[in-house]
Amino acid sequence: MSQQFQASIQKATAQLNHVILGKSNQVRLSLTALLAGGHLLLEDLPGMGKTTLAHGLANVMGLDYKRVQFTSDLLPADVIGATVFDAKESQFQFRAGPIFSEIFLADELNRATPRAQSALLEAMEERQVSVEGETHTLPAPFFVIATQNPQSQSGTFPLPESQLDRFLLRVSMGYPDQAAERQLLLGKHGRGSLAAMQSCISKEDLLAIQALVPKIKVSETLLDYIQRLVAQTRQRDLCLLGLSPRGALALVRSAQAWAFIQGRDHVLPEDVQAVFVAVVGHRLVGRRETQGDQLARHILNSVDVVGGVGV
């Protein structure tokens, strides 16, 4: 494994931790989603640093970055683009929308109607969009970061399961601790530090890392552990909706990326445990009161690493 890549990842992590104070685990999970070639859903109250984290990721990677504020009157064409008539050329031409960027931020995604939300489905899964019967390939790398507000807030539309399943990880920012918040109040960190960030991972290096992540070794014993976790999510007395095969693959790929960030060429049970809640929480629908992350933690605690299911 290239030492250069490890040094670059450490530098990127340090810069992000300087901007997003006291959220080292959230920063590491966000990098995990990017290095694994997936997409990231940031969920929390407004003003918790979700957009700042997205902007920071774009800065340390030196990638093209576009942001769209999702609102109730947003149309799919506002995101993916449209075919318009060019009077000068006397023909119709496709004008690309903001989704044609290497990092695309869908800010407050769940404030848009389901019709506008659906504009992301093909793009996130196929890395392409179809307009008027023509297919247009998106750039590589292509990374979607979506933020959403809690569903209890007014003016939100819940994301359907098919949309949620396309996000590799869901991360909640949470309130800062007292020391971190004091630094923010003093104006020493946060959004004001974005301009000082430097790109430390080139586009070519990022694509190389994304190609290396699937090659991180996963032993047969570890796959047994992962399959026991997946099987537990499919217990009908516990979950109405368990983990799909795509979700199981997301768990493996996320654990590989987490191990890569740690500088290892193989996955440990600790890597699976570190990403499990972020991978699984938004994909589960519980049968009882426990939902989402709480249900995922219950499942993680009930499955033993060496075999068997606990109480």
Side-chain angles (χ1 to χ4, degrees):
M1 191 179 298
S2 172
Q3 294 299 317
Q4 178 186 354
F5 288 158
Q6 291 304 313
S8 298
I9 290 172
Q10 290 175 8
K11 186 176 179 181
T13 302
Q15 288 195 75
L16 288 166
N17 284 331
H18 182 76
V19 174
I20 310 295
L21 294 177
K23 302 296 176 186
S24 59
N25 190 59
Q26 287 88 336
V27 165
R28 196 176 295 117
L29 285 170
S30 300
L31 284 171
T32 296
L34 176 58
L35 300 186
H39 304 293
L40 176 66
L41 179 62
L42 298 174
E43 181 181 67
D44 220 314
L45 297 167
M48 301 293 280
K50 303 186 296 294
T51 305
T52 303
L53 175 57
H55 201 167
L57 282 169
N59 284 0
V60 295
M61 298 295 167
L63 299 175
D64 177 37
Y65 167 81
K66 290 187 176 68
R67 170 184 176 273
V68 170
Q69 181 67 47
F70 276 63
T71 57
S72 59
D73 60 349
L74 191 76
L75 298 176
D78 298 327
V79 178
I80 63 177
T83 301
V84 297
F85 184 73
D86 188 330
K88 187 175 181 180
E89 300 291 334
S90 298
Q91 62 181 1
F92 285 93
Q93 293 186 349
F94 175 69
R95 291 189 179 176
I99 201 169
F100 284 83
S101 57
E102 291 158 343
I103 291 187
F104 175 73
L105 173 60
D107 212 358
E108 296 187 306
L109 176 61
N110 62 337
R111 289 200 179 277
T113 62
R115 182 185 178 192
Q117 292 175 10
S118 67
L120 294 179
L121 289 173
E122 181 186 12
M124 293 174 68
E125 185 67 18
E126 307 294 338
R127 264 60 172 185
Q128 65 182 33
V129 297
S130 300
V131 180
E132 302 291 337
E134 292 188 9
T135 299
H136 305 273
T137 303
L138 293 165
F142 175 65
F143 183 47
V144 173
I145 306 174
T147 70
Q148 72 168 352
N149 297 325
Q151 293 182 19
S152 58
Q153 293 203 329
S154 61
T156 59
F157 298 85
L159 300 182
E161 286 79 7
S162 60
Q163 182 92 57
L164 288 170
D165 198 38
R166 281 167 169 78
F167 288 101
L168 187 73
L169 300 173
R170 181 184 67 178
V171 176
S172 177
M173 299 299 291
Y175 289 110
D177 59 36
Q178 193 170 22
E181 192 163 40
R182 176 60 64 91
Q183 294 298 309
L184 289 171
L185 294 174
L186 290 171
K188 295 183 178 180
H189 299 273
R191 181 176 290 273
S193 304
L194 288 172
M197 299 183 78
Q198 297 179 347
S199 171
C200 47
I201 300 180
S202 68
K203 183 193 305 185
E204 292 73 24
D205 284 351
L206 176 58
L207 291 172
I209 291 171
Q210 289 179 338
L212 284 173
V213 164
K215 299 177 182 178
I216 299 296
K217 297 173 186 176
V218 184
S219 68
E220 293 293 328
T221 302
L222 194 62
L223 285 175
D224 289 341
Y225 174 49
I226 290 172
Q227 286 195 290
R228 288 196 300 274
L229 286 167
V230 172
Q232 188 70 358
T233 71
R234 297 170 182 170
Q235 294 296 318
R236 298 300 297 172
D237 62 337
L238 190 64
C239 299
L240 290 172
L241 287 179
L243 207 59
S244 68
R246 177 163 53 192
L249 286 169
L251 181 58
V252 173
R253 184 62 55 84
S254 299
Q256 289 173 313
W258 185 275
F260 187 94
I261 291 173
Q262 308 306 313
R264 281 185 274 100
D265 63 355
H266 60 283
V267 178
L268 298 176
E270 291 86 344
D271 302 320
V272 177
Q273 294 161 357
V275 301
F276 185 79
V277 174
V279 172
V280 173
H282 61 291
R283 291 179 162 94
L284 299 181
V285 176
R287 185 172 289 278
R288 301 172 186 167
E289 292 80 7
T290 54
Q291 297 286 345
D293 291 0
Q294 184 181 0
L295 180 56
R297 290 189 187 94
H298 170 75
I299 291 171
L300 185 63
N301 293 331
S302 67
V303 177
D304 193 79
V305 173
V306 295
V309 177
V311 179

